[in-house]
Amino acid sequence: MSEVLSQEFFTKPAPELARDLLGCVLVHKTSEGTVSGIIVETEAYSQEDAASHSYRGETPRNSVMFGPAGHAYVYFTYGMHYCFNVVSGQPDHGQAVLLRALQPLDGIELMRQSRKQNQDKQLCNGPAKLVQAMGISKQDYGKPLFEGVLHISKRLKEDPQISEGPRIGISKAVDVPWRFWLTDNPFISR
DNA sequence: CTATTGATTGAT
DNA sequence: TCAATCAATAGG
């Protein structure tokens, strides 16, 4: 068993946290069983960033982004999908890290059931896919990730090789290289 | 109140 | 390449 991250770990700026979360493990202990996966792809969003939900200030949807770091920002989009973010930085500065892909670790059978999909590479290779596979819902909005049934554990291996590039699916700040992934990992999206 | 858009996905 | 599908947000 790996150690759970401290809240302090999340207080760094989003682009930095996005890198540091790679290789860490997202764990969800549900009534059905435990599901977990290695974080292999992330994106950073900060308040000065035109592509960020926090760019135009605090609203009912994004308010948790302006609170203390280490909490979950879950939002509904495209009328059918949820995405999962980790709040980062200091309070009153809206920033977060979007989790885009995981490498399935535990509870793969549960993931297959919730995703109605058998191929392991198709289980968590997209932001809305991992939310489905991990059994995350809007109920998890604002929950702490440094303790509790939904949490993030420390890296299994230190100093992984990381690649970076432009973010996916946005129409503003399209050239900002704030998407990060574990180099050559086969479980990333696109 | 109305209109637009979207940090996506799966099928064609 | 495109439809699905609707809440949040911006604008009047």
Side-chain angles (χ1 to χ4, degrees):
Chain A
M1 290 298 277
S2 184
E3 194 180 338
V4 179
L5 295 174
S6 67
Q7 182 171 22
E8 210 276 327
F9 181 90
F10 300 98
T11 60
K12 63 198 76 167
E16 197 180 323
L17 180 64
R19 284 177 161 277
D20 288 355
L21 281 176
L22 293 174
C24 294
V25 182
L26 179 64
V27 182
H28 195 187
K29 297 186 176 179
T30 73
S31 51
E32 299 290 307
T34 297
V35 283
S36 71
I38 302 169
I39 299 170
V40 299
E41 182 183 359
T42 59
E43 282 182 1
Y45 289 89
S46 83
Q47 197 167 349
E48 300 70 28
D49 167 21
S52 173
H53 288 169
S54 58
Y55 185 58
R56 292 162 203 282
E58 187 172 346
T59 67
R61 175 175 67 164
N62 67 23
S63 65
V64 72
M65 288 180 80
F66 292 81
H71 293 260
Y73 171 39
V74 180
Y75 68 90
F76 185 62
T77 191
Y78 287 105
M80 60 187 88
H81 297 299
Y82 289 93
C83 291
F84 178 81
N85 297 251
V86 180
V87 175
S88 72
Q90 299 299 131
D92 297 322
H93 189 277
Q95 47 180 306
V97 174
L98 171 71
L99 266 46
R100 287 197 60 91
L102 305 177
Q103 176 174 336
L105 212 54
D106 298 314
I108 294 185
E109 274 310 319
L110 278 177
M111 290 186 184
R112 288 179 178 149
Q113 288 172 31
S114 6
R115 289 268 303 122
K116 300 184 172 77
Q117 163 72 65
N118 285 326
Q119 303 171 64
D120 290 3
K121 285 183 187 173
Q122 302 296 317
L123 255 25
C124 300
N125 64 334
K129 296 181 185 180
L130 91 245
V131 164
Q132 266 193 348
M134 292 293 295
I136 292 169
S137 73
K138 200 151 193 184
Q139 308 287 39
D140 296 306
Y141 183 96
K143 286 197 178 167
L145 300 170
F146 44 87
E147 61 184 17
V149 296
L150 180 62
H151 62 257
I152 301 177
S153 300
K154 288 187 178 176
R155 272 180 182 154
L156 276 28
K157 299 170 185 171
E158 260 327 302
D159 297 318
Q161 195 180 351
I162 295 171
S163 298
E164 62 175 59
R167 292 169 293 182
I168 290 175
I170 55 175
S171 60
K172 298 175 181 173
V174 293
D175 294 325
V176 178
W178 277 3
R179 172 175 172 244
F180 307 93
W181 65 93
L182 291 180
T183 306
D184 296 330
N185 189 98
F187 293 89
I188 62 171
S189 66
R190 318 296 283 255

